[in-house]
Amino acid sequence: MIRFLSSLFARPKPFVYAGIGITLATTGVTVASLYEMRLDAMAQARDAAQNLVISLQKEIERNLDMYQLAMRDVATSAETPGIVRLPPEVRQLVAFSSFTDSRELGAMFATDATGNLVLDSRSISPRKINVSGRDYFRIQRQQTDAGLYVSAPFVPYSADSEQPVIAMSRRLEDKDGQFSGIVAGTLRLSFFRQLFEDSILGRHDTITLLRTDGTVLMRQPFHESDIGKSLASGHSFQPLVQSDHGTYVDIAVLDHVERLYTFRRVGSYPLIVVVGLATDDIFAGWRKRAIAIGIASIVLDALLILLSLMFGTQLRKRLAVERRLQRLAWFDSLTGLPNRAQLQREALRILTDTSRNGSTLAVLFIDLDRFKRVNDTQGHAVGDEVLSEIARRLRKEIQPDDLIGRLGGDEFLAVVQDCDVLKAKHVAARILHAVSQPILINSGQDTRITISASIGIALCPHDGEEPDTLLRNADLAMYQAKRAGRNQVRFYAPDYERQAKEQLELEIALQQALRSNALSVAYQPKTDAIGALCGVEALVRWDNDGQGVIAPDRFIVIAEESGLIAEMDAWVMGEACRQLAQWRAEGLDVPNISVNVCAADFKRPDYPGLVNDTLRSHGLVASDLTLEMTERVLFDESVADIRKSLDALHAMGIALSIDDFGTGYSSLSYLHRFPVKELKIDKSFVQGIGRDAMAESLAQTLIHIGKILKLTVTAEGVETHAQRDFLAAHGCHLYQGFLFSRALAPRDFARWVRAHRSCASAGDPEARAKPL
Ligand code: C2E
Ligand code: CA
Ligand code: CA
């Protein structure tokens, strides 16, 4: 029930349909009840008409019966042979004794066979009137079986009244059955008129007294001209004579008004009483009510439809807003993928199913590599396009039953059901492949962007059973994938968690060390082939109280990731410059000092200023300092900012050196574009000399490149004479490595310098290319 109701509320249309439905239903009911009311009105009218017609019929019949009785007495008297011999007063009394009550209705008389009055209710000696010309006489004389005859209306001979009458006659016969006259009674039509007038209902209603042949004897409302007219031509006249009562609707012959007619035969008399009620009048009340009800129902229906439409529209609007809000709340507006909140909800649902079925699943944390660079160099519109395209591709790689969503930024999350290590690996590989396909950007001219992703995978139940745990572990694994050089897949290992914790601890410790001056700098000489000092590299050292000396390779990464690196490098540069100044003040001839820098340093807008200030504050000049950076720096996301810093530093006369040369990017064009002075061949090539022909030929090539570009070539990690000799034979300029010296504490370095010659004072600079 609740579900039904909520489904009703969830969809606005049913309201409109319901509104229309109710409207139709109520309209139907209204029409039906109006029709019924009409039938009722008709039935009521019929009842009224019938009651009236019955009472009229009875009243007329009662009066005619009285007439009949009286006529029979008159007839008996007339047929009694000795009646003429009675004294006139007595004769009168005998003949008309039962007529006394009806005298005001008319007159009664008897005639002889010739039509002369023999008995007359009006006078003791019958008036000298002959009625042989009247139809009521002629019919009786001609027909033996005429019975009671009712005449058409006529005006009687006696001048005492001009009022029209009808006459009823009966045949009189003598002993032999021969016609001997008639007995007749005249009835004043005014009697009927009065009767009808007293009974009349409405203005258009009629009461008619007809003879069975259709002759109108009286009609109400009264028009003299109607009297005596024949209605026999009316088409409803036939049923009128065929049965002794009935009801019908017809248009009147006389006035063309439609009426409901109810008729009744007046006893055994050849007379019919008809009551006609005008249908207009019958339905007048009904019509008024029908109009009122009709208007009310139309108004109500219109209101109902309006309300349901409004309600529907309102509901539709509200639902649309709600749906939009829901989408905003649960879906990412850029990619249309589920957002973090929705991912959590859905993941929880899937996980519940998974643990119920005892199946497995994989959570894939997908993070785009160097996406920030796309945003910074191509603009946010392009960044958005890239994200949308990646989202599309990810969705294609993920089955509809599985889950893919955007956590935010360039982070996506996939949940793959029924997934073991192998399947997860496969899915991740497919995703990496899909992501790495060039993306065509259609804004303005066609640009292709290539991007990669790092994926961390956590398996359920192996790596956790809670969404939060799985997400965190997948994130940790992703982080490892990034550290492993990006465009990689890593499965979560419990070790990652420990590492992450350690990392955090280290980060905090490093921060403290930096603030409390617990870091130190070690110095490694750069020499020529014969070991004369040509420069020195400053290398940071951290002697952590708890863990002893921590290798820079470990904490430099942490410093970079935590953003401490710039601060640390600034400190190292300051310390190195201070040290150089101090050595010089002590009389040591140290030609130049190199410090290691990274992208974060160059991104500081104040970096060239900082370098300048540092040099000045120690009384040094630009040529005293070399900045070592890896090729990676030149390919950083914020290359524009870096370029600005590099140009400013170059303008100041600071030398740039490419560290770990050969391990990074294959493109060499940047060597032209950036003001580079030195290449440091990575120790991996140097250490392959004598062991690995490939490393040897690479080392050789790298030296060659440096020479072509007229750069100073320095070999790093030179540990053996053989390495040094090989490098020297191929024209390497400078050397750095354990063969000459490890990185030393300042005091030890000073001692080392005193024991060796400085290359700056060792003659022919041409032979060693450009001294640093
Ligand atoms: P790098 O710039 O390539 O520094 C040279 C590294 O090689 C140093 O390791 C050095 O001790 C080591 N090395 C020198 N000669 C030999 C050799 O003959 N054999 C071997 N196996 N190794 C040799 P270290 O001091 O551990 O520094 C590692 C890296 O840390 C450096 O590599 C540099 O990239 C980074 N680094 C060191 N100090 C700083 C710093 O102050 N700032 C920044 N940003 N990075 C630094
Ligand atoms: Ca270095
Ligand atoms: Ca190096």
Side-chain angles (χ1 to χ4, degrees):
M1 181 67 183
I2 286 166
R3 183 173 294 182
F4 168 74
L5 282 177
S6 63
S7 80
L8 199 69
F9 276 92
R11 287 150 43 99
K13 279 220 174 99
F15 273 98
V16 180
Y17 293 152
I20 292 169
I22 291 170
T23 308
L24 286 177
T26 54
T27 307
V29 168
T30 309
V31 168
S33 58
L34 282 177
Y35 180 69
E36 207 151 286
M37 279 165 64
R38 194 175 193 275
L39 291 181
D40 266 5
M42 186 57 115
Q44 272 177 29
R46 189 188 296 125
D47 286 351
Q50 271 167 5
N51 289 339
L52 178 60
V53 91
I54 287 169
S55 73
L56 288 172
Q57 177 255 321
K58 279 193 176 144
E59 182 64 12
I60 295 167
E61 193 179 1
R62 192 176 60 79
N63 281 288
L64 293 186
D65 282 351
M66 272 163 43
Y67 244 69
Q68 283 294 301
L69 282 171
M71 275 168 73
R72 202 161 296 154
D73 284 353
V74 175
T76 310
S77 306
E79 281 165 348
T80 305
I83 192 86
V84 282
R85 278 168 279 155
L86 288 173
E89 297 83 0
V90 179
R91 189 180 54 201
Q92 199 74 358
L93 225 100
V94 170
F96 298 105
S97 61
S98 44
F99 184 62
T100 47
D101 290 346
S102 310
R103 259 169 223 274
E104 69 272 25
L105 292 182
M108 202 163 284
F109 54 88
T111 68
D112 57 16
T114 60
N116 290 323
L117 300 198
V118 289
L119 288 170
D120 187 356
S121 64
R122 298 278 175 87
S123 65
I124 293 170
S125 48
R127 291 165 295 170
K128 297 217 175 316
I129 290 173
N130 185 281
V131 297
S132 58
R134 300 288 189 189
D135 56 346
Y136 55 84
F137 180 83
R138 275 190 282 119
I139 293 278
Q140 297 296 358
R141 187 179 58 195
Q142 285 157 14
Q143 298 174 15
T144 53
D145 57 349
L148 179 77
Y149 176 79
V150 177
S151 76
F154 63 95
V155 177
Y157 294 123
S158 59
D160 59 16
S161 159
E162 292 266 298
Q163 287 186 29
V165 295
I166 52 167
M168 291 189 292
S169 63
R170 274 187 182 283
R171 180 182 164 99
L172 297 175
E173 285 174 358
D174 59 18
K175 290 192 293 281
D176 309 322
Q178 292 299 309
F179 176 72
S180 61
I182 60 161
V183 58
T186 58
L187 261 168
R188 278 196 207 103
L189 287 180
S190 61
F191 158 72
F192 298 109
R193 189 172 167 184
Q194 193 58 53
L195 186 67
F196 291 175
E197 263 175 9
D198 291 348
S199 319
I200 204 73
L201 304 162
R203 206 152 52 86
H204 304 289
D205 301 340
T206 57
I207 303 170
T208 314
L209 182 68
L210 291 177
R211 216 160 58 161
T212 44
D213 68 344
T215 308
V216 175
L217 302 182
M218 175 50 66
R219 187 165 182 272
Q220 183 63 39
F222 180 79
H223 296 291
E224 207 167 341
S225 55
D226 292 341
I227 309 302
K229 273 192 179 154
S230 174
L231 300 183
S233 61
H235 51 77
S236 50
F237 181 71
Q238 276 315 306
L240 215 74
V241 278
Q242 272 157 17
S243 60
D244 61 40
H245 63 90
T247 303
Y248 60 95
V249 174
D250 194 19
I251 294 171
V253 177
L254 294 177
D255 57 10
H256 313 290
V257 174
E258 189 190 70
R259 292 194 179 83
L260 167 77
Y261 289 105
T262 297
F263 65 90
R264 213 161 244 277
R265 183 84 180 255
V266 183
S268 53
Y269 304 99
L271 296 173
I272 304 164
V273 193
V274 186
V275 169
L277 303 183
T279 50
D280 269 356
D281 291 347
I282 294 173
F283 296 128
W286 170 83
R287 201 171 290 122
K288 262 187 214 157
R289 284 169 66 195
I291 287 169
I293 289 171
I295 288 172
S297 105
I298 285 167
V299 168
L300 272 174
D301 287 352
L303 254 161
L304 190 68
I305 288 177
L306 201 74
L307 273 175
S308 58
L309 275 174
M310 264 165 54
F311 195 36
T313 312
Q314 215 43 33
L315 199 68
R316 193 161 40 239
K317 275 188 196 153
R318 222 187 58 210
L319 284 174
V321 168
E322 248 164 46
R323 245 176 251 149
R324 230 180 19 243
L325 284 176
Q326 219 166 22
R327 266 209 88 72
L328 280 181
W330 301 116
F331 290 88
D332 170 44
S333 54
L334 175 64
T335 61
L337 291 180
N339 63 12
R340 181 181 282 269
Q342 170 76 343
L343 275 171
Q344 261 161 355
R345 265 197 343 180
E346 283 293 294
L348 193 66
R349 186 183 58 73
I350 295 176
L351 272 171
T352 318
D353 287 355
T354 302
S355 62
R356 199 182 296 138
N357 308 338
S359 55
T360 58
L361 65 75
V363 174
L364 280 72
F365 198 114
I366 305 152
D367 190 295
L368 300 184
D369 297 330
R370 299 204 178 86
F371 176 71
K372 191 175 175 299
R373 187 165 45 166
V374 175
N375 254 350
D376 288 352
T377 57
Q378 311 278 329
H380 282 270
V382 172
D384 284 355
E385 255 188 85
V386 169
L387 284 175
S388 306
E389 176 56 24
I390 294 292
R392 248 193 305 280
R393 294 180 186 180
L394 290 178
R395 211 191 328 232
K396 251 170 89 181
E397 295 303 328
I398 299 296
Q399 298 293 314
D401 279 353
D402 295 332
L403 187 60
I404 176 78
R406 184 180 174 208
L407 286 170
D410 57 351
E411 297 174 342
F412 297 87
L413 192 86
V415 177
V416 183
Q417 304 188 66
D418 290 322
C419 190
D420 56 5
V421 180
L422 276 178
K423 185 177 170 189
K425 223 178 199 169
H426 182 68
V427 172
R430 273 207 336 249
I431 290 176
L432 284 191
H433 178 74
V435 169
S436 67
Q437 300 307 302
I439 298 167
L440 194 67
I441 301 296
N442 288 319
S443 52
Q445 72 265 94
D446 284 356
T447 321
R448 274 169 203 277
I449 286 179
T450 309
I451 203 161
S452 63
S454 298
I455 302 179
I457 304 174
L459 297 165
C460 171
H462 189 266
D463 302 332
E465 290 179 69
E466 299 297 317
D468 289 350
T469 317
L470 285 163
L471 180 69
R472 199 188 59 228
N473 291 345
D475 189 8
L476 280 169
M478 186 280 293
Y479 181 67
Q480 294 300 327
K482 289 251 182 226
R483 292 189 95 188
R486 302 185 167 90
N487 197 24
Q488 309 265 337
V489 180
R490 283 289 178 279
F491 279 86
Y492 168 76
D495 207 33
Y496 293 163
E497 202 165 356
R498 191 182 50 73
Q499 283 179 25
K501 231 173 93 186
E502 249 178 49
Q503 190 117 351
L504 191 69
E505 282 164 7
L506 270 182
E507 200 180 302
I508 294 164
L510 178 62
Q511 193 160 12
Q512 280 167 353
L514 185 59
R515 306 269 149 89
S516 62
N517 253 333
L519 299 178
S520 62
V521 180
Y523 300 92
Q524 188 176 35
K526 275 185 195 176
T527 69
D528 61 12
I530 49 166
L533 181 72
C534 300
V536 57
E537 180 175 0
L539 294 160
V540 70
R541 292 290 175 264
W542 180 19
D543 192 353
N544 189 358
D545 291 342
Q547 300 181 38
V549 177
I550 298 167
D553 280 336
R554 245 183 96 197
F555 72 80
I556 295 291
V557 184
I558 295 171
E560 274 177 351
E561 283 166 358
S562 62
L564 284 169
I565 192 76
E567 195 183 332
M568 197 190 78
D569 280 351
W571 179 83
V572 170
M573 179 170 63
E575 180 56 20
C577 289
R578 190 199 58 75
Q579 191 60 64
L580 179 64
Q582 191 188 320
W583 282 327
R584 283 181 179 171
E586 286 168 5
L588 282 181
D589 188 8
V590 180
N592 178 280
I593 194 155
S594 296
V595 295
N596 292 284
V597 292
C598 59
D601 297 319
F602 293 124
K603 279 187 224 171
R604 291 172 61 158
D606 61 339
Y607 190 66
L610 177 79
V611 172
N612 194 36
D613 291 351
T614 308
L615 287 172
R616 272 156 148 244
S617 68
H618 297 293
L620 301 176
V621 292
S623 60
D624 291 329
L625 185 67
T626 301
L627 301 179
E628 288 187 11
M629 58 180 197
T630 61
E631 293 157 281
R632 238 173 61 201
V633 172
L634 301 175
F635 291 90
D636 190 86
E637 302 151 4
S638 320
V639 69
D641 295 344
I642 291 171
R643 168 109 220 189
K644 220 183 273 172
S645 285
L646 287 174
D647 288 343
L649 290 164
H650 177 64
M652 281 161 56
I654 309 276
L656 290 179
S657 167
I658 302 298
D659 212 345
D660 303 344
F661 186 61
T663 58
Y665 298 81
S666 49
S667 162
L668 291 173
S669 58
Y670 67 89
L671 293 174
H672 277 307
R673 282 190 273 120
F674 294 101
V676 174
K677 270 199 174 163
E678 180 191 39
L679 294 184
K680 293 184 83 176
I681 299 172
D682 190 66
K683 49 180 174 279
S684 60
F685 303 109
V686 173
Q687 282 163 4
I689 293 170
R691 285 198 299 242
D692 177 357
M694 180 64 125
E696 273 180 17
S697 73
L698 278 170
Q700 208 180 314
T701 310
L702 295 171
I703 295 168
H704 196 61
I705 291 168
K707 285 210 293 193
I708 290 171
L709 295 171
K710 296 195 165 49
L711 303 174
T712 302
V713 181
T714 305
E716 286 186 304
V718 183
E719 291 180 359
T720 65
H721 286 101
Q723 289 164 357
R724 195 264 323 262
D725 293 347
F726 178 90
L727 294 160
H730 288 96
C732 181
H733 303 125
L734 300 180
Y735 306 85
Q736 190 179 338
F738 296 167
L739 178 65
F740 304 95
S741 173
R742 289 178 175 269
L744 303 166
R747 199 182 304 248
D748 297 333
F749 181 78
R751 206 172 292 139
W752 186 93
V753 173
R754 283 196 187 98
H756 293 76
R757 286 188 307 143
S758 164
C759 79
S761 56
D764 192 3
E766 209 55 70
R768 294 187 302 274
K770 292 169 237 162
L772 289 162

